[in-house]
PDB file of all heavy atoms in Angstrom:
ATOM      1  N   THR A 139       0.851  -1.185   0.000  1.00 95.00           N
ATOM      2  CA  THR A 139       0.000   0.000   0.000  1.00 95.00           C
ATOM      3  C   THR A 139       0.890   1.239   0.000  1.00 95.00           C
ATOM      4  O   THR A 139       1.918   1.279   0.677  1.00 95.00           O
ATOM      5  CB  THR A 139      -0.927   0.042   1.234  1.00 95.00           C
ATOM      6  OG1 THR A 139      -0.144  -0.135   2.426  1.00 95.00           O
ATOM      7  CG2 THR A 139      -1.977  -1.039   1.153  1.00 95.00           C
ATOM      8  N   ALA A 140       0.497   2.234  -0.771  1.00 93.00           N
ATOM      9  CA  ALA A 140       1.225   3.500  -0.845  1.00 93.00           C
ATOM     10  C   ALA A 140       0.296   4.606  -0.359  1.00 93.00           C
ATOM     11  O   ALA A 140      -0.790   4.795  -0.924  1.00 93.00           O
ATOM     12  CB  ALA A 140       1.688   3.768  -2.270  1.00 93.00           C
ATOM     13  N   THR A 141       0.720   5.321   0.691  1.00 90.00           N
ATOM     14  CA  THR A 141      -0.154   6.296   1.346  1.00 90.00           C
ATOM     15  C   THR A 141       0.612   7.564   1.680  1.00 90.00           C
ATOM     16  O   THR A 141       1.833   7.619   1.553  1.00 90.00           O
ATOM     17  CB  THR A 141      -0.727   5.725   2.658  1.00 90.00           C
ATOM     18  OG1 THR A 141       0.326   5.672   3.647  1.00 90.00           O
ATOM     19  CG2 THR A 141      -1.284   4.323   2.458  1.00 90.00           C
ATOM     20  N   ASP A 142      -0.137   8.583   2.133  1.00 83.00           N
ATOM     21  CA  ASP A 142       0.533   9.743   2.717  1.00 83.00           C
ATOM     22  C   ASP A 142       0.873   9.400   4.167  1.00 83.00           C
ATOM     23  O   ASP A 142       0.622   8.283   4.629  1.00 83.00           O
ATOM     24  CB  ASP A 142      -0.339  10.999   2.613  1.00 83.00           C
ATOM     25  CG  ASP A 142      -1.690  10.845   3.296  1.00 83.00           C
ATOM     26  OD1 ASP A 142      -1.825   9.928   4.139  1.00 83.00           O
ATOM     27  OD2 ASP A 142      -2.617  11.616   3.001  1.00 83.00           O
ATOM     28  N   ASN A 143       1.476  10.353   4.891  1.00 73.00           N
ATOM     29  CA  ASN A 143       1.915  10.027   6.261  1.00 73.00           C
ATOM     30  C   ASN A 143       0.885  10.442   7.316  1.00 73.00           C
ATOM     31  O   ASN A 143       1.217  11.025   8.347  1.00 73.00           O
ATOM     32  CB  ASN A 143       3.280  10.663   6.566  1.00 73.00           C
ATOM     33  CG  ASN A 143       3.284  12.166   6.341  1.00 73.00           C
ATOM     34  OD1 ASN A 143       2.286  12.733   5.909  1.00 73.00           O
ATOM     35  ND2 ASN A 143       4.403  12.811   6.627  1.00 73.00           N
ATOM     36  N   LEU A 144      -0.368  10.089   7.070  1.00 78.00           N
ATOM     37  CA  LEU A 144      -1.435  10.350   8.028  1.00 78.00           C
ATOM     38  C   LEU A 144      -1.221   9.504   9.272  1.00 78.00           C
ATOM     39  O   LEU A 144      -0.930   8.310   9.187  1.00 78.00           O
ATOM     40  CB  LEU A 144      -2.778  10.004   7.379  1.00 78.00           C
ATOM     41  CG  LEU A 144      -4.049  10.326   8.165  1.00 78.00           C
ATOM     42  CD1 LEU A 144      -4.257  11.826   8.255  1.00 78.00           C
ATOM     43  CD2 LEU A 144      -5.257   9.676   7.480  1.00 78.00           C
ATOM     44  N   ASN A 145      -1.351  10.124  10.440  1.00 78.00           N
ATOM     45  CA  ASN A 145      -1.129   9.407  11.695  1.00 78.00           C
ATOM     46  C   ASN A 145      -2.045   8.189  11.818  1.00 78.00           C
ATOM     47  O   ASN A 145      -3.251   8.287  11.611  1.00 78.00           O
ATOM     48  CB  ASN A 145      -1.377  10.338  12.896  1.00 78.00           C
ATOM     49  CG  ASN A 145      -0.267  11.347  13.078  1.00 78.00           C
ATOM     50  OD1 ASN A 145       0.861  11.125  12.626  1.00 78.00           O
ATOM     51  ND2 ASN A 145      -0.560  12.465  13.736  1.00 78.00           N
ATOM     52  N   GLY A 146      -1.460   7.050  12.140  1.00 80.00           N
ATOM     53  CA  GLY A 146      -2.241   5.847  12.382  1.00 80.00           C
ATOM     54  C   GLY A 146      -2.644   5.080  11.149  1.00 80.00           C
ATOM     55  O   GLY A 146      -3.285   4.022  11.247  1.00 80.00           O
ATOM     56  N   PHE A 147      -2.260   5.584   9.961  1.00 86.00           N
ATOM     57  CA  PHE A 147      -2.700   4.951   8.712  1.00 86.00           C
ATOM     58  C   PHE A 147      -2.128   3.535   8.582  1.00 86.00           C
ATOM     59  O   PHE A 147      -2.835   2.589   8.226  1.00 86.00           O
ATOM     60  CB  PHE A 147      -2.271   5.809   7.523  1.00 86.00           C
ATOM     61  CG  PHE A 147      -3.143   5.642   6.300  1.00 86.00           C
ATOM     62  CD1 PHE A 147      -3.140   6.594   5.287  1.00 86.00           C
ATOM     63  CD2 PHE A 147      -3.983   4.540   6.154  1.00 86.00           C
ATOM     64  CE1 PHE A 147      -3.936   6.446   4.163  1.00 86.00           C
ATOM     65  CE2 PHE A 147      -4.789   4.387   5.033  1.00 86.00           C
ATOM     66  CZ  PHE A 147      -4.756   5.341   4.042  1.00 86.00           C
ATOM     67  N   THR A 148      -0.855   3.382   8.871  1.00 87.00           N
ATOM     68  CA  THR A 148      -0.212   2.067   8.730  1.00 87.00           C
ATOM     69  C   THR A 148      -0.872   1.027   9.627  1.00 87.00           C
ATOM     70  O   THR A 148      -1.147  -0.109   9.198  1.00 87.00           O
ATOM     71  CB  THR A 148       1.289   2.169   9.059  1.00 87.00           C
ATOM     72  OG1 THR A 148       1.899   3.117   8.171  1.00 87.00           O
ATOM     73  CG2 THR A 148       1.971   0.819   8.885  1.00 87.00           C
ATOM     74  N   ASP A 149      -1.143   1.403  10.877  1.00 89.00           N
ATOM     75  CA  ASP A 149      -1.792   0.467  11.805  1.00 89.00           C
ATOM     76  C   ASP A 149      -3.192   0.099  11.322  1.00 89.00           C
ATOM     77  O   ASP A 149      -3.632  -1.052  11.475  1.00 89.00           O
ATOM     78  CB  ASP A 149      -1.877   1.091  13.199  1.00 89.00           C
ATOM     79  CG  ASP A 149      -0.505   1.245  13.847  1.00 89.00           C
ATOM     80  OD1 ASP A 149       0.412   0.501  13.443  1.00 89.00           O
ATOM     81  OD2 ASP A 149      -0.355   2.098  14.732  1.00 89.00           O
ATOM     82  N   THR A 150      -3.890   1.076  10.744  1.00 91.00           N
ATOM     83  CA  THR A 150      -5.229   0.816  10.205  1.00 91.00           C
ATOM     84  C   THR A 150      -5.171  -0.222   9.088  1.00 91.00           C
ATOM     85  O   THR A 150      -5.985  -1.154   9.035  1.00 91.00           O
ATOM     86  CB  THR A 150      -5.852   2.125   9.678  1.00 91.00           C
ATOM     87  OG1 THR A 150      -5.983   3.055  10.760  1.00 91.00           O
ATOM     88  CG2 THR A 150      -7.215   1.870   9.056  1.00 91.00           C
ATOM     89  N   ILE A 151      -4.210  -0.059   8.187  1.00 93.00           N
ATOM     90  CA  ILE A 151      -4.057  -1.016   7.078  1.00 93.00           C
ATOM     91  C   ILE A 151      -3.747  -2.411   7.614  1.00 93.00           C
ATOM     92  O   ILE A 151      -4.316  -3.408   7.158  1.00 93.00           O
ATOM     93  CB  ILE A 151      -2.953  -0.533   6.114  1.00 93.00           C
ATOM     94  CG1 ILE A 151      -3.372   0.775   5.440  1.00 93.00           C
ATOM     95  CG2 ILE A 151      -2.653  -1.607   5.054  1.00 93.00           C
ATOM     96  CD1 ILE A 151      -2.260   1.484   4.697  1.00 93.00           C
ATOM     97  N   LYS A 152      -2.865  -2.476   8.599  1.00 93.00           N
ATOM     98  CA  LYS A 152      -2.474  -3.772   9.177  1.00 93.00           C
ATOM     99  C   LYS A 152      -3.663  -4.486   9.822  1.00 93.00           C
ATOM    100  O   LYS A 152      -3.730  -5.716   9.850  1.00 93.00           O
ATOM    101  CB  LYS A 152      -1.368  -3.574  10.220  1.00 93.00           C
ATOM    102  CG  LYS A 152      -0.011  -3.210   9.648  1.00 93.00           C
ATOM    103  CD  LYS A 152       0.630  -4.387   8.939  1.00 93.00           C
ATOM    104  CE  LYS A 152       2.036  -4.071   8.483  1.00 93.00           C
ATOM    105  NZ  LYS A 152       2.607  -5.188   7.674  1.00 93.00           N
ATOM    106  N   THR A 153      -4.596  -3.720  10.344  1.00 94.00           N
ATOM    107  CA  THR A 153      -5.769  -4.309  10.988  1.00 94.00           C
ATOM    108  C   THR A 153      -6.623  -5.086   9.988  1.00 94.00           C
ATOM    109  O   THR A 153      -7.149  -6.157  10.295  1.00 94.00           O
ATOM    110  CB  THR A 153      -6.620  -3.198  11.647  1.00 94.00           C
ATOM    111  OG1 THR A 153      -5.829  -2.501  12.604  1.00 94.00           O
ATOM    112  CG2 THR A 153      -7.841  -3.784  12.338  1.00 94.00           C
ATOM    113  N   VAL A 154      -6.756  -4.552   8.764  1.00 95.00           N
ATOM    114  CA  VAL A 154      -7.622  -5.170   7.751  1.00 95.00           C
ATOM    115  C   VAL A 154      -6.828  -6.111   6.841  1.00 95.00           C
ATOM    116  O   VAL A 154      -7.299  -7.200   6.503  1.00 95.00           O
ATOM    117  CB  VAL A 154      -8.333  -4.088   6.912  1.00 95.00           C
ATOM    118  CG1 VAL A 154      -9.311  -4.731   5.928  1.00 95.00           C
ATOM    119  CG2 VAL A 154      -9.070  -3.100   7.808  1.00 95.00           C
ATOM    120  N   PHE A 155      -5.625  -5.688   6.452  1.00 96.00           N
ATOM    121  CA  PHE A 155      -4.761  -6.509   5.589  1.00 96.00           C
ATOM    122  C   PHE A 155      -3.406  -6.693   6.291  1.00 96.00           C
ATOM    123  O   PHE A 155      -2.446  -5.968   6.004  1.00 96.00           O
ATOM    124  CB  PHE A 155      -4.580  -5.846   4.221  1.00 96.00           C
ATOM    125  CG  PHE A 155      -5.852  -5.749   3.416  1.00 96.00           C
ATOM    126  CD1 PHE A 155      -6.563  -4.553   3.363  1.00 96.00           C
ATOM    127  CD2 PHE A 155      -6.340  -6.845   2.728  1.00 96.00           C
ATOM    128  CE1 PHE A 155      -7.739  -4.463   2.624  1.00 96.00           C
ATOM    129  CE2 PHE A 155      -7.517  -6.767   1.991  1.00 96.00           C
ATOM    130  CZ  PHE A 155      -8.220  -5.571   1.937  1.00 96.00           C
ATOM    131  N   PRO A 156      -3.338  -7.636   7.221  1.00 95.00           N
ATOM    132  CA  PRO A 156      -2.155  -7.768   8.081  1.00 95.00           C
ATOM    133  C   PRO A 156      -0.858  -8.096   7.349  1.00 95.00           C
ATOM    134  O   PRO A 156       0.225  -7.806   7.861  1.00 95.00           O
ATOM    135  CB  PRO A 156      -2.545  -8.899   9.036  1.00 95.00           C
ATOM    136  CG  PRO A 156      -3.660  -9.632   8.368  1.00 95.00           C
ATOM    137  CD  PRO A 156      -4.380  -8.626   7.557  1.00 95.00           C
ATOM    138  N   ASN A 157      -0.932  -8.678   6.164  1.00 95.00           N
ATOM    139  CA  ASN A 157       0.283  -9.056   5.439  1.00 95.00           C
ATOM    140  C   ASN A 157       0.778  -7.977   4.480  1.00 95.00           C
ATOM    141  O   ASN A 157       1.792  -8.161   3.806  1.00 95.00           O
ATOM    142  CB  ASN A 157       0.043 -10.355   4.658  1.00 95.00           C
ATOM    143  CG  ASN A 157      -0.227 -11.533   5.580  1.00 95.00           C
ATOM    144  OD1 ASN A 157       0.386 -11.645   6.637  1.00 95.00           O
ATOM    145  ND2 ASN A 157      -1.158 -12.396   5.204  1.00 95.00           N
ATOM    146  N   SER A 158       0.058  -6.868   4.407  1.00 95.00           N
ATOM    147  CA  SER A 158       0.440  -5.798   3.492  1.00 95.00           C
ATOM    148  C   SER A 158       1.590  -4.977   4.076  1.00 95.00           C
ATOM    149  O   SER A 158       1.647  -4.732   5.286  1.00 95.00           O
ATOM    150  CB  SER A 158      -0.758  -4.885   3.227  1.00 95.00           C
ATOM    151  OG  SER A 158      -0.421  -3.848   2.342  1.00 95.00           O
ATOM    152  N   VAL A 159       2.515  -4.562   3.209  1.00 95.00           N
ATOM    153  CA  VAL A 159       3.572  -3.633   3.636  1.00 95.00           C
ATOM    154  C   VAL A 159       3.200  -2.249   3.134  1.00 95.00           C
ATOM    155  O   VAL A 159       2.682  -2.093   2.029  1.00 95.00           O
ATOM    156  CB  VAL A 159       4.961  -4.050   3.108  1.00 95.00           C
ATOM    157  CG1 VAL A 159       5.421  -5.326   3.764  1.00 95.00           C
ATOM    158  CG2 VAL A 159       4.968  -4.186   1.599  1.00 95.00           C
ATOM    159  N   THR A 160       3.461  -1.233   3.970  1.00 93.00           N
ATOM    160  CA  THR A 160       3.025   0.126   3.653  1.00 93.00           C
ATOM    161  C   THR A 160       4.216   1.036   3.397  1.00 93.00           C
ATOM    162  O   THR A 160       5.133   1.119   4.219  1.00 93.00           O
ATOM    163  CB  THR A 160       2.176   0.712   4.800  1.00 93.00           C
ATOM    164  OG1 THR A 160       1.016  -0.106   4.983  1.00 93.00           O
ATOM    165  CG2 THR A 160       1.739   2.132   4.482  1.00 93.00           C
ATOM    166  N   GLN A 161       4.177   1.703   2.253  1.00 94.00           N
ATOM    167  CA  GLN A 161       5.175   2.706   1.894  1.00 94.00           C
ATOM    168  C   GLN A 161       4.548   4.088   2.047  1.00 94.00           C
ATOM    169  O   GLN A 161       3.567   4.408   1.380  1.00 94.00           O
ATOM    170  CB  GLN A 161       5.647   2.506   0.458  1.00 94.00           C
ATOM    171  CG  GLN A 161       6.472   3.659  -0.112  1.00 94.00           C
ATOM    172  CD  GLN A 161       7.814   3.810   0.577  1.00 94.00           C
ATOM    173  OE1 GLN A 161       8.559   2.838   0.712  1.00 94.00           O
ATOM    174  NE2 GLN A 161       8.135   5.014   1.023  1.00 94.00           N
ATOM    175  N   ILE A 162       5.101   4.897   2.949  1.00 92.00           N
ATOM    176  CA  ILE A 162       4.657   6.283   3.073  1.00 92.00           C
ATOM    177  C   ILE A 162       5.248   7.081   1.918  1.00 92.00           C
ATOM    178  O   ILE A 162       6.423   6.928   1.566  1.00 92.00           O
ATOM    179  CB  ILE A 162       5.094   6.885   4.426  1.00 92.00           C
ATOM    180  CG1 ILE A 162       4.275   6.262   5.567  1.00 92.00           C
ATOM    181  CG2 ILE A 162       4.919   8.399   4.432  1.00 92.00           C
ATOM    182  CD1 ILE A 162       4.658   6.771   6.937  1.00 92.00           C
ATOM    183  N   CYS A 163       4.446   7.941   1.335  1.00 90.00           N
ATOM    184  CA  CYS A 163       4.860   8.741   0.181  1.00 90.00           C
ATOM    185  C   CYS A 163       6.036   9.645   0.541  1.00 90.00           C
ATOM    186  O   CYS A 163       5.929  10.501   1.430  1.00 90.00           O
ATOM    187  CB  CYS A 163       3.691   9.574  -0.325  1.00 90.00           C
ATOM    188  SG  CYS A 163       4.107  10.670  -1.686  1.00 90.00           S
ATOM    189  N   VAL A 164       7.158   9.471  -0.136  1.00 91.00           N
ATOM    190  CA  VAL A 164       8.357  10.261   0.130  1.00 91.00           C
ATOM    191  C   VAL A 164       8.132  11.723  -0.254  1.00 91.00           C
ATOM    192  O   VAL A 164       8.625  12.630   0.417  1.00 91.00           O
ATOM    193  CB  VAL A 164       9.566   9.668  -0.632  1.00 91.00           C
ATOM    194  CG1 VAL A 164      10.785  10.586  -0.512  1.00 91.00           C
ATOM    195  CG2 VAL A 164       9.896   8.274  -0.112  1.00 91.00           C
TER     196      VAL A 164
END
């Protein structure tokens, strides 16, 4: 998943798709 750096976004993704890796937009 590619996202902005919104607080808590990575944890939210992990809750629904636990095997997904998250890249914050550089």
